[in-house]
């Protein structure tokens, strides 16, 4: 009982850190859309407790923590705060995701960290096409931004000088400082309440519990070798039909996930640092084994991951990685495709398969200031074996909310002209795929630059067992006019005149089963 009480206290600390960060943040991207994650980790970077935020953000911490311990060994003190956003040092999965952590001590001994990851609306660099990571933004190695409570003002000035909206960047960083500071205080209060020995022992047992629960679920899994292949439509730089292969071996001892056969890293910005894919794998394993597993790294012990270096899913510097999330979503699709062979009555069809985004940046003439806005849009979820797919939701490795229309129009030179379900976009079948979204914005200034991201633009998300594909993603400028045209990633960075209508039509989910089979009732359930 005490183990569960302390374990849930650790989760509550992580959740409260997230609430504090969202309330203190300046940008709607964090405050409203909640593109952030908070967690407590041990000194090896293993999650002790993670808030229910963004699964892929755990990849921003897996390598960062061991890097801090190695680089600053013997120089980590109460009141210190560290920062990084370098995907190749484990401090991020792409440069806009900035990681901030503060150490946790017990009787003077370092035992872990409180961490806050936030997606900043921009972090310098090109918001058009970038051939390498140097062009994608300001890249911070592992740095101590606060030394025993004293802020490094020089580092803060450096960051602000290299970003388009320096006041907003500082405000969002401060919200992260507040979150990890709160995490440290709450952890110290937990130690005082239960005693250090009890908390540390309960934490160890909390991780062991996740492993034990996962192994219990593993015993019920079919054993064998299961493989699947999917592909990315394009890297936005000329390479198309980019394969992602996965083989999954389920044994009595654990689950091995092997991405051998996946394409080499590409010229475009869809490459992925290994840690982001590891986080994606852990997400899938948790959902397959037991969604009620404690939100910690205990169940990671069952999982072995192989990703050849220099490939799309384990790129090496200086490969650009800004749009890495779409490749991670496709890795999830491939894993689910493999698991569907083992568990055909549990695995859904493919969801929209993208973290669809539009980024607007420029100068706001009405408010007399630069601006940068990241607009991420949901899509349709894949149909389940016994239920229709959900409409208009974020799926898999992301978990963000939408940005309210009021927040967009109060903060940026943009007007939301349409926000609706994309009827008919879900794949057909006994259970239909969820439908995507139509999100339409009008530029109110000249010279606003547009960058889009997203995959599944050629072939829609696949259905299962006779279900149809969902409609693919599409972007359009000035639709339903005499000068309408599509907008693709090769157009990224284009400056738009005032009055331009930008429309995103996100993908629907795949369908499940042949239409002639028994359909769900009015509640969406198959009898």
């Amino acid at each position: 009982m005490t183990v569960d009480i302390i374990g849930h206290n650790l989760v509550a600390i992580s959740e409260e850190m997230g609430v504090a960060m969202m309330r203190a943040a300046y940008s709607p991207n964090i405050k409203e859309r909640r593109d952030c994650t908070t967690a407590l980790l041990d000194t090896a970077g293993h999650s002790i407790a993670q808030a229910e935020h963004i699964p892929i953000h755990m990849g921003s911490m897996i390598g960062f923590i061991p890097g801090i311990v190695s680089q600053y060994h013997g120089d980590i003190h109460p009141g210190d705060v560290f920062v990084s956003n370098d995907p190749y040092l484990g401090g991020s999965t792409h440069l806009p995701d900035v990681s901030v952590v503060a150490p946790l001590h017990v009787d003077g001994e370092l035992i872990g960290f409180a961490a806050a990851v936030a997606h900043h609306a921009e972090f310098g660099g090109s918001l058009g096409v970038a051939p390498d990571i140097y062009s994608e933004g300001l890249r911070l190695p592992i740095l101590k931004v606060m030394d025993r409570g004293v802020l490094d003002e020089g580092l803060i000035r450096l960051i602000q000088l290299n970003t388009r909206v320096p006041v907003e960047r500082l405000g969002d960083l401060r919200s992260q400082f507040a979150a990890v500071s709160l995490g440290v205080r709450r952890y110290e209060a937990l130690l005082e309440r239960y005693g250090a020995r009890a908390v540390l022992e309960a934490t160890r047992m909390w991780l062991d519990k996740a492993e034990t629960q996962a192994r219990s679920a593993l015993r019920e899994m079919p054993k064998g070798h299961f493989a699947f292949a999917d592909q990315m439509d394009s890297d936005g730089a000329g390479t198309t039909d980019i394969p992602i292969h996965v083989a999954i071996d389920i044994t009595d001892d654990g689950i091995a996930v092997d991405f051998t056969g996946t394409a080499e890293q590409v010229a475009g910005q869809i490459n992925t640092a290994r840690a982001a894919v590891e986080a994606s794998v852990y997400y899938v394993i948790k959902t397959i084994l037991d969604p009620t597993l404690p939100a910690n790294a205990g169940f990671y012990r069952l999982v072995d991951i192989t990703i050849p270096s220099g490939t799309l899913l384990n790129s090496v510097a200086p490969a650009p990685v800004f749009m890495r999330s779409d490749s991670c979503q496709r890795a999830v699709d491939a894993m689910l495709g493999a698991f569907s062979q083992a568990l055909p009555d549990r695995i859904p069809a493919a969801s929209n398969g993208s973290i669809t985004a539009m980024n607007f940046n420029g100068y706001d003439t009405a408010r007399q200031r630069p601006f940068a806005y990241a607009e991420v849009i949901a899509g349709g979820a894949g149909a389940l074996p016994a239920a229709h797919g959900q409409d208009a939701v974020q799926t898999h490795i992301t978990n963000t909310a939408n940005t309210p229309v009021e927040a967009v129009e109060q903060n940026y030179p943009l007007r939301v002209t349409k926000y609706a379900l994309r009827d008919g976009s879900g794949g057909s079948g006994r259970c239909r795929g969820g439908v995507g979204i139509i999100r339409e914005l009008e530029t109110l200034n000249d010279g606003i630059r547009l960058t889009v991201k997203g995959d599944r633009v050629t072939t829609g998300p696949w259905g299962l067992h006779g279900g149809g594909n969902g409609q693919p993603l599409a972007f359009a400028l000035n639709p339903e006019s005499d000068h309408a045209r599509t907008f693709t990633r090769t157009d990224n960075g284009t400056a738009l005149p005032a009055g331009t209508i930008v429309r995103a039509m996100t993908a629907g989910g795949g369908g499940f089963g042949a239409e002639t089979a028994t359909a769900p009732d009015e509640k969406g359930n198959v009898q």
Side-chain angles (χ1 to χ4, degrees):
M1 180 65 73
T2 302
V3 171
D4 284 339
I5 291 172
I6 292 178
H8 287 297
N9 265 276
L10 295 170
V11 173
I13 291 171
S14 298
E15 295 283 358
E16 188 179 359
M17 289 165 59
V19 171
M21 178 163 54
M22 288 182 280
R23 287 182 174 177
Y26 277 31
S27 69
N29 199 52
I30 300 171
K31 183 180 291 292
E32 300 284 359
R33 204 169 64 77
R34 304 183 179 186
D35 197 343
C36 56
T37 297
T38 46
L40 302 177
L41 303 100
D42 66 17
T43 55
H46 297 144
S47 169
I48 296 170
Q50 181 183 2
E52 292 187 4
H53 294 156
I54 316 296
I56 194 176
H57 279 169
M58 187 50 62
S60 296
M61 308 174 198
I62 289 172
F64 184 28
I65 301 299
I68 294 171
V69 174
S70 174
Q71 182 174 323
Y72 287 90
H73 180 70
D75 188 26
I76 302 174
H77 310 281
D80 289 351
V81 175
F82 300 87
V83 65
S84 179
N85 71 333
D86 187 348
Y88 294 114
L89 291 176
S92 177
T93 59
H94 69 165
L95 298 184
D97 282 349
V98 179
S99 296
V100 169
V101 304
L104 303 172
H105 289 85
V106 173
D107 297 328
E109 179 184 356
L110 177 69
I111 60 90
F113 292 84
V117 181
H119 181 131
H120 290 248
E122 62 85 29
F123 215 69
S126 170
L127 290 178
V129 176
D132 50 42
I133 197 168
Y134 308 117
S135 308
E136 291 190 310
L138 178 61
R139 185 177 170 198
L140 299 175
I142 298 171
L143 297 169
K144 186 183 287 191
V145 66
M146 198 174 293
D147 188 351
R148 305 183 213 207
V150 179
L151 185 66
D152 185 339
E153 299 285 357
L155 176 56
I156 295 298
R157 289 195 298 272
L158 174 67
I159 292 171
Q160 288 189 284
L161 186 63
N162 285 278
T163 56
R164 293 173 175 84
V165 192
V167 173
E168 184 178 274
R169 292 291 67 73
L170 178 58
D172 286 347
L173 281 170
R174 283 175 170 168
S175 75
Q176 292 179 263
F177 299 159
V180 297
S181 175
L182 177 64
V184 172
R185 296 199 307 274
R186 292 292 186 263
Y187 187 78
E188 290 173 347
L190 189 67
L191 295 175
E192 184 176 347
R193 181 175 182 182
Y194 291 99
R197 177 178 294 182
V199 171
L200 293 177
E201 181 64 12
T203 300
R204 183 189 64 77
M205 296 176 68
W206 180 243
L207 270 69
D208 290 345
K209 177 181 179 179
E211 179 184 6
T212 300
Q213 188 173 331
R215 291 198 181 279
S216 176
L218 180 65
R219 286 194 290 271
E220 306 302 317
M221 292 273 288
K223 308 304 186 290
H225 177 85
F226 309 96
F228 195 85
D230 210 325
Q231 66 182 30
M232 301 294 291
D233 290 339
S234 167
D235 70 341
T239 305
T240 58
D241 301 332
I242 303 159
I244 292 178
H245 289 263
V246 67
I248 296 176
D249 287 283
I250 307 173
T251 69
D252 291 333
D253 295 324
I255 300 175
V257 181
D258 188 348
F259 288 98
T260 299
T262 294
E264 299 296 306
Q265 63 190 55
V266 294
Q269 296 176 269
I270 64 170
N271 299 294
T272 307
R274 179 187 171 96
V277 181
E278 291 179 350
S280 304
V281 171
Y282 296 139
Y283 155 77
V284 172
I285 298 300
K286 185 176 189 291
T287 61
I288 296 296
L289 281 177
D290 183 353
T292 69
L293 285 171
N296 66 50
F299 74 90
Y300 296 5
R301 302 167 187 169
L302 280 67
V303 186
D304 181 74
I305 304 171
T306 300
I307 318 174
S309 180
T311 60
L312 179 73
L313 301 181
N314 186 10
S315 58
V316 296
V321 296
F322 178 70
M323 301 180 184
R324 90 289 182 225
S325 55
D326 292 329
S327 299
C328 289
Q329 289 282 60
R330 192 66 69 259
V332 169
D333 285 344
M335 284 185 281
L336 290 176
F339 275 117
S340 71
Q341 299 163 32
L343 301 164
D345 59 343
R346 285 178 51 189
I347 305 302
S351 293
N352 59 86
S354 177
I355 297 182
T356 303
M358 301 186 289
N359 290 274
F360 299 86
N361 74 93
Y363 190 81
D364 184 342
T365 56
R367 298 171 181 84
Q368 294 291 296
R369 64 189 185 196
F371 80 96
Y373 174 51
E375 170 79 18
V376 178
I377 313 164
L384 293 159
H388 298 311
Q390 285 187 281
D391 299 332
V393 291
Q394 298 285 4
T395 60
H396 299 318
I397 60 166
T398 185
N399 192 28
T400 58
N402 74 166
T403 307
V405 171
E406 296 84 356
V408 175
E409 297 183 347
Q410 288 173 6
N411 289 279
Y412 307 108
L414 300 165
R415 178 181 296 120
V416 179
T417 54
K418 187 172 186 178
Y419 192 28
L421 295 177
R422 188 186 181 191
D423 291 335
S425 59
S428 60
R430 183 186 77 230
C431 298
R432 67 157 178 82
V435 302
I437 284 176
I438 298 174
R439 178 83 156 177
E440 193 174 88
L441 295 95
E442 179 183 4
T443 60
L444 304 182
N445 280 27
D446 286 327
I448 294 176
R449 296 188 180 275
L450 173 64
T451 300
V452 302
K453 70 175 287 292
D455 202 67
R456 295 293 194 203
V457 294
T458 302
T459 304
W462 39 262
L464 279 176
H465 305 290
N469 290 354
Q471 288 187 9
L473 165 69
F475 295 98
L477 297 185
N478 299 308
E480 301 165 6
S481 72
D482 57 5
H483 53 289
R485 71 177 182 90
T486 59
F487 192 97
T488 69
R489 282 179 291 172
T490 58
D491 300 310
N492 278 347
T494 299
L496 307 176
T500 301
I501 301 295
V502 181
R503 176 184 290 179
M505 296 166 282
T506 63
F512 194 103
E515 287 187 271
T516 54
T518 303
D521 60 22
E522 65 275 6
K523 295 182 179 180
N525 298 309
V526 172
Q527 302 298 315

